[in-house]
Amino acid sequence: MTWYLIGSLAALLTSFGFVPQMVKMWRTRSVKDISLLTLGQLALGVSLWTVYGVHLRDPIIIAANMISLATLLLGFLLYRRYSARKRT
Amino acid sequence: MTWYLIGSLAALLTSFGFVPQMVKMWRTRSVKDISLLTLGQLALGVSLWTVYGVHLRDPIIIAANMISLATLLLGFLLYRRYSARKRT
């Protein structure tokens, strides 16, 4: 039970770890300092982690990485939106 | 063997996922758009993942998250250095 809680808390923290960054991108409408390469590398990485989680049959690893992937894809959209945007 | 490669590649990509962001922080000396909350949340998260990996006795999960933690801690140092820095 304790291990389940530790794993779940770890999963929650890292799965939603990119959320504060997204909120900051959204609020400031500035993405100048964000590394697109980090976004891409992490997106590919968590996709493979999901596949590995299926192999281990570990639902925590699968769910955590699928949520991470979703937030990273949203991050891409925000990056694209605000890197192209001109202040008027 | 295939699973070992997939897990290892996943681990490599995510473990070093923050490295391009660190390089960008280092080169531009600008950290204005970086979310400190995301750094902290991820650092706490990967610490708990390491503990969970010890429980699962999965060396890939342990190593991957320890490397992530190291890069995030370096990210903190860079953030502190460049957020305090005044251009002269």
Side-chain angles (χ1 to χ4, degrees):
Chain A
M1 186 60 190
T2 305
W3 288 114
Y4 178 77
L5 285 176
I6 290 174
S8 301
L9 187 56
L12 279 174
L13 285 167
T14 54
S15 303
F16 295 99
F18 198 66
V19 172
Q21 182 65 70
M22 279 201 301
V23 171
K24 186 161 187 171
M25 289 159 89
W26 178 266
R27 279 196 186 155
T28 61
R29 300 182 179 188
S30 172
V31 295
K32 184 177 62 67
D33 298 333
I34 303 299
S35 164
L36 196 58
L37 192 55
T38 276
L39 279 179
Q41 190 171 326
L42 287 175
L44 183 58
V46 297
S47 301
L48 290 178
W49 268 122
T50 305
V51 173
Y52 190 63
V54 169
H55 168 61
L56 293 181
R57 300 185 188 189
D58 186 313
I60 294 178
I61 295 176
I62 297 168
N65 286 286
M66 286 185 74
I67 294 169
S68 289
L69 183 59
T71 67
L72 289 164
L73 294 178
L74 275 170
F76 270 117
L77 291 178
L78 284 170
Y79 184 92
R80 204 176 123 185
R81 178 170 181 177
Y82 294 126
S83 62
R85 187 193 173 93
K86 302 283 178 199
R87 301 291 176 89
T88 52
Chain B
M1 187 59 190
T2 305
W3 289 114
Y4 179 77
L5 284 177
I6 289 174
S8 301
L9 186 57
L12 279 174
L13 286 168
T14 54
S15 303
F16 295 99
F18 197 67
V19 171
Q21 182 65 70
M22 280 202 300
V23 171
K24 185 158 189 174
M25 288 159 89
W26 178 267
R27 278 195 185 155
T28 61
R29 300 183 179 188
S30 172
V31 294
K32 184 176 61 66
D33 298 334
I34 303 298
S35 164
L36 196 58
L37 192 55
T38 276
L39 280 179
Q41 190 171 327
L42 287 175
L44 183 59
V46 297
S47 302
L48 290 178
W49 268 122
T50 306
V51 173
Y52 191 63
V54 170
H55 168 62
L56 293 181
R57 299 184 188 189
D58 187 312
I60 294 178
I61 295 176
I62 297 168
N65 285 287
M66 284 184 77
I67 294 169
S68 289
L69 183 60
T71 66
L72 289 165
L73 293 178
L74 275 170
F76 270 117
L77 291 177
L78 284 169
Y79 184 92
R80 204 177 123 185
R81 178 171 180 177
Y82 293 126
S83 61
R85 186 193 172 94
K86 302 285 178 196
R87 300 291 176 88
T88 51

